[in-house]
């Protein structure tokens, strides 16, 4: 049977429970309004003069010793004075009484007044009042129903405020229901094409998607569907985007929620929501559950917990563990999770059988950054002169989210300058804005301070250019940004392993600024604070963590478990003195080395500093003009050139 289509503009009105409450309230009001009789209020004087003395009163009834209700004789109701009470309200039905009422004050006073008013009456003409006791059932019902309705209304309002309007928890009866959002397969437009880089991660994820689409391909060989996949990596690397791409590719029901959605102030709500989530996922299997920021509920149990305490978060985690690998079967349900704090997760959660796959999503390398730029530059109106390789080189250590931010910020900067296209300088300004902060043009700097800053930055640039393993310079500026008075941007080589020579070169390059100050001005300043902090940490890491000191030997005092207390050292005082001596020796030797390099290139450094003072900004090309081409080329640079040749 075909469903009839509704005409355009016609909306189906859905049933709401509040309609019942409104109908009940309206019923009581109508009963109170229409059920009321035509009894009019009067007073003793009018009653005595217009009704009692003319002998038109049939009887008087005292109700609850509070009110006197007067009944008028039927033969007198047609008189003009009684026209407003002779018929009932909203009808033509005769009103046989009571017709009037008034407050009597006290029964004794009323009786005395009544006797006094009838002293001249014959005995048969005198009226004696009747006494009745009545209960106002409707009024009593309303007296306790109305406060109850008000209380329920306030309760609903508070619960909406606490749980958030519009979600599953917005109603008190749904507080134990899952907060997960079911993403319609037709609404999710993100696919693997929109995810640049992350080739290994996409390969593993693709296998899971393929299993959901055609499980027979794997099950005929005896394989089982993987229970879960966990995406691990730094913030902004594309974990959530990868999950969205899975939803777009799989074309299966996709439940998306955050780890914090399970956390609630009420006991047992988290576990209840986990049960409800898996129940819904099973009903719609094959399906995918994606839990973002799973560390909110997946933290290792037993840490920092009071003895005998009932930890709601642990109960939620226990229920999740049970649902993922318990006695019940969850065939066709795959759980995906994302976190940037895998070190704090419970080991029972990350074991095989629950999360079978742990997919690491690292920061993109040079080639991957180029691919990410290509994706984010598509919707932008950019100049044809923009070199994507240059942009990739300019953003070392940037995540995918950072690159997206750079592209957006460059568009805003170009729009601010009323440009029709985004140019190279806009991207450079965007990178500077994100890394260093806004330019502080209003900051007052004396000529001597400016000269010191220029020679300091030129010292860094010179030493790094002359060392093989130091990061090559990209850009130097003496324009104040954020908290810094000057800044230099370098392109660090993305290494998997670092040797002693490489670390020593980095320390030497960092000390180049202070060395230039001492050689040219015969004094040093506080401007090298960040440099000194960096080299001190590096030197201590070399000696006490990486075992790169001959005197200390092949020892490491690094605690990967995080259980070591910060108040105690895992070595003796004698060992501490040796470590301190070795650190000082490393730093001082590299400082002397930096001074020697600067002395050999003194005239070139002066030329570079003068150019900085003149232009306030210098680039890699300026260094090439002064020092010549750098002797060494990084492996990533070589790979990028090979990629360009293939594409061209």
């Amino acid at each position: 049977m075909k469903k009839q289509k509704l005409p355009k503009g016609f909306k189906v009105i859905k049933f709401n429970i509040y309609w019942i409450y409104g109908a009940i309230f309206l019923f009581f009001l109508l009963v109170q309004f229409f059920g009321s009789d035509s009894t009019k209020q009067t007073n003793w004087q009018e009653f005595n003069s217009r009704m009692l003395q003319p002998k038109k009163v049939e009887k008087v009834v005292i109700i609850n010793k509070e009110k006197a209700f007067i009944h008028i004789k039927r033969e007198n109701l047609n008189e003009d004075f009684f026209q407003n009470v002779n018929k009932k309200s909203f009808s033509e039905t005769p009103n046989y009484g009571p017709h009037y009422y008034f407050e009597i004050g006290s029964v004794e006073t009323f009786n005395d007044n009544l006797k006094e008013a009838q002293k001249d009456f014959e005995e048969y003409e005198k009226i004696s009042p009747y006494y009745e006791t009545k209960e106002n059932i409707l009024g009593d019902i309303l007296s306790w129903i109305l406060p109850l309705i008000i209380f329920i209304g306030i309760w609903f309002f508070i619960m909406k405020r606490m749980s958030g309007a519009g979600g599953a928890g917005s109603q008190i009866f749904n507080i134990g229901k899952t907060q997960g959002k079911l993403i319609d397969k037709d609404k999710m437009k993100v696919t693997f094409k929109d995810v640049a880089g992350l080739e290994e991660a996409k390969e593993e994820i693709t296998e899971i998607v393929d299993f959901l689409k055609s499980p027979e391909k794997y099950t005929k060989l005896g394989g089982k569907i993987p229970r879960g996949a966990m995406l691990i990596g730094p913030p902004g690397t594309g974990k959530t985007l990868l999950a969205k791409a899975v939803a777009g590719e799989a074309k299966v029901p996709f439940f998306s929620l955050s780890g914090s959605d399970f956390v609630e102030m009420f006991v047992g709500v988290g576990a209840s929501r986990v049960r409800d989530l898996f129940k819904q996922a099973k009903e719609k299997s094959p399906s995918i559950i994606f839990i973002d920021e799973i560390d909110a509920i997946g933290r290792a149990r037993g840490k920092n917990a009071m003895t005998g305490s009932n930890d709601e978060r642990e109960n939620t985690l226990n229920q999740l563990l049970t649902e993922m690998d318990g006695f019940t079967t969850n065939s066709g349900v795959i759980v995906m999770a994302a976190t940037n704090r895998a070190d704090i997760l419970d080991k029972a959660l990350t074991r095989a059988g629950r999360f079978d796959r742990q997919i690491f999503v690292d920061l993109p390398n040079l080639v991957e950054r180029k691919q990410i730029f290509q994706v984010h530059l598509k919707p932008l109106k950019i100049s044809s002169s923009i070199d994507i390789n240059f942009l990739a080189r300019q953003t070392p250590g940037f995540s995918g989210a950072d690159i997206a931010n750079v592209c957006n910020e460059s568009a805003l900067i170009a729009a601010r300058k009323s440009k029709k296209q985004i140019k190279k300088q806009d991207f450079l300004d965007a990178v500077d804005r994100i890394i260093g902060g806004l330019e502080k043009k209003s900051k007052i700097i004396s000529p001597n301070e400016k000269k010191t800053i220029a020679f300091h930055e030129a010292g860094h640039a010179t030493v790094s250019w002359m060392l093989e393993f130091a990061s090559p310079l990209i850009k130097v500026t003496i324009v104040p940004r954020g908290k810094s008075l000057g800044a230099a941007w370098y392109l660090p080589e993305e290494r998997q392993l670092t040797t002693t020579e490489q670390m020593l070169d980095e320390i030497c390059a960092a000390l180049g600024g202070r060395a230039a100050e001492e050689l040219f001005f015969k004094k040093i300043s506080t401007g090298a604070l960040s440099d000194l902090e960096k080299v001190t940490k590096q030197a201590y890491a070399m000696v006490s963590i990486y075992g790169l000191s001959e005197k200390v030997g092949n020892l490491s005092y690094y605690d990967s478990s995080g259980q070591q207390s910060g108040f105690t050292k895992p070595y003796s005082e004698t060992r501490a003195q040796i470590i301190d001596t070795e650190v000082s020796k490393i730093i001082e030797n590299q400082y002397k080395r930096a001074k020697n390099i600067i002395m050999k290139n003194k005239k070139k450094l002066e030329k570079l500093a003068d150019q900085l003072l003149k232009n306030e900004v210098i680039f890699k090309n300026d260094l090439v003009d002064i020092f010549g081409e750098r002797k060494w080329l990084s492996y990533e640079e070589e790979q990028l050139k090979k990629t360009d040749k293939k594409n061209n």
Side-chain angles (χ1 to χ4, degrees), residues 217-456:
K217 179 180 174 183
Y218 300 89
T219 54
K220 69 181 181 181
L221 298 174
K224 293 181 181 178
I225 187 170
R227 296 290 180 91
M230 185 171 291
L231 303 171
I232 301 169
T237 50
K239 299 184 295 293
T240 307
L241 181 65
L242 203 56
K244 289 180 179 178
V246 171
E249 292 281 348
K251 302 296 182 184
V252 295
F254 189 89
F255 294 87
S256 174
L257 70 165
S258 171
S260 60
D261 290 334
F262 296 105
V263 182
E264 192 63 73
M265 64 176 290
F266 302 106
V267 176
V269 169
S272 175
R273 286 178 178 174
V274 171
R275 284 191 295 270
D276 188 63
L277 174 66
F278 277 85
K279 181 185 174 185
Q280 290 188 30
K282 286 178 212 173
E283 290 172 354
K284 296 183 180 291
S285 67
S287 59
I288 298 174
I289 296 171
F290 175 63
I291 305 173
D292 203 4
E293 308 295 343
I294 197 173
D295 50 271
I297 59 168
R299 192 185 297 266
R301 292 165 291 179
K303 288 186 178 180
N304 303 322
M306 293 176 63
T307 306
S309 65
N310 184 16
D311 192 346
E312 178 64 14
R313 181 184 54 77
E314 287 194 7
N315 294 339
T316 306
L317 176 58
N318 291 337
Q319 187 63 44
L320 180 62
L321 296 175
T322 305
E323 291 288 345
M324 287 190 70
D325 188 20
F327 282 102
T328 57
T329 57
N330 292 322
S331 57
V333 178
I334 292 178
V335 183
M336 289 180 62
T339 181
N340 50 38
R341 301 185 69 191
D343 55 312
I344 66 168
L345 293 177
D346 197 282
K347 286 183 171 54
L349 186 65
T350 56
R351 74 161 176 83
R354 290 196 174 106
F355 284 102
D356 303 282
R357 306 283 178 85
Q358 291 192 12
I359 304 167
F360 293 92
V361 186
D362 290 327
L363 290 169
N365 56 32
L366 188 61
V367 178
E368 287 175 337
R369 287 201 299 275
K370 180 183 177 182
Q371 295 172 358
I372 295 169
F373 264 112
Q374 287 172 339
V375 169
H376 290 293
L377 289 176
K378 280 182 183 177
L380 302 181
K381 293 182 179 179
I382 59 173
S383 173
S384 57
S385 61
I386 286 179
D387 183 12
I388 299 179
N389 290 344
F390 174 77
L391 296 177
R393 292 187 191 98
Q394 286 286 106
T395 51
F398 277 43
S399 65
D402 293 330
I403 292 172
N405 194 19
V406 167
C407 294
N408 184 60
E409 193 69 35
S410 64
L412 297 178
I413 291 168
R416 207 176 295 135
K417 296 177 182 176
S418 302
K419 294 182 180 179
K420 293 182 179 180
Q421 286 183 327
I422 307 168
K423 297 184 178 179
K424 178 182 175 181
Q425 188 58 44
D426 299 321
F427 282 100
L428 293 173
D429 292 342
V431 173
D432 295 350
R433 170 75 177 84
I434 291 167
I435 296 175
L438 279 171
E439 287 188 11
K440 295 201 173 177
K441 298 176 182 178
S442 60
K443 185 172 278 190
I444 300 170
I445 301 174
S446 67
N448 288 333
E449 286 178 332
K450 197 171 184 180
K451 192 176 181 181
T452 304
I453 296 166
F455 274 88
H456 181 102

Side-chain angles (χ1 to χ4, degrees), residues 14-26:
K14 295 182 179 178
F15 175 76
N16 198 319
I17 190 70
Y18 294 106
W19 294 356
I20 298 174
Y21 302 147
I24 294 170
F25 184 72
L26 186 64

Side-chain angles (χ1 to χ4, degrees), residues 448 452-453 455-456 511-529 531-532 588 591 595 598:
N448 288 333
T452 304
I453 296 166
F455 274 88
H456 181 102
L511 293 169
R514 170 159 283 199
E517 287 184 36
E518 186 180 343
L519 289 171
F520 284 93
F521 302 104
K522 307 299 179 187
K523 56 186 177 182
I524 54 177
S525 69
T526 58
L529 174 61
D531 302 326
L532 295 177
E588 289 305 314
Y591 186 63
K595 288 200 288 186
I598 289 170

Side-chain angles (χ1 to χ4, degrees), residues 25 51 105 107 150 212-213 222-223 317 338 350 354-355 428 433 463-464 508 554 594 604 637:
F25 184 72
M51 304 172 203
V107 176
I150 294 169
L212 289 169
K213 286 183 176 179
L317 176 58
T350 56
R354 290 196 174 106
F355 284 102
L428 293 173
R433 170 75 177 84
V463 177
S464 64
C508 184
N554 299 321
K604 291 179 179 179
E637 292 269 342

Side-chain angles (χ1 to χ4, degrees), residues 20-70:
I20 298 174
Y21 302 147
I24 294 170
F25 184 72
L26 186 64
F27 171 75
F28 280 113
L29 284 179
L30 290 174
V31 169
Q32 183 74 11
F33 187 74
F34 289 104
S36 62
D37 54 22
S38 302
T39 308
K40 306 295 180 184
Q41 190 173 7
T42 185
N43 53 49
W44 167 260
Q45 287 78 16
E46 190 177 53
F47 162 70
N48 186 35
S49 61
R50 305 296 295 266
M51 304 172 203
L52 185 62
Q53 296 301 328
K55 302 174 183 177
K56 297 177 181 179
V57 178
E58 184 178 347
K59 63 178 178 179
V60 176
V61 182
I62 309 295
I63 305 294
N64 298 332
K65 299 180 180 180
E66 295 175 352
K67 293 181 179 179
F69 288 83
I70 298 99

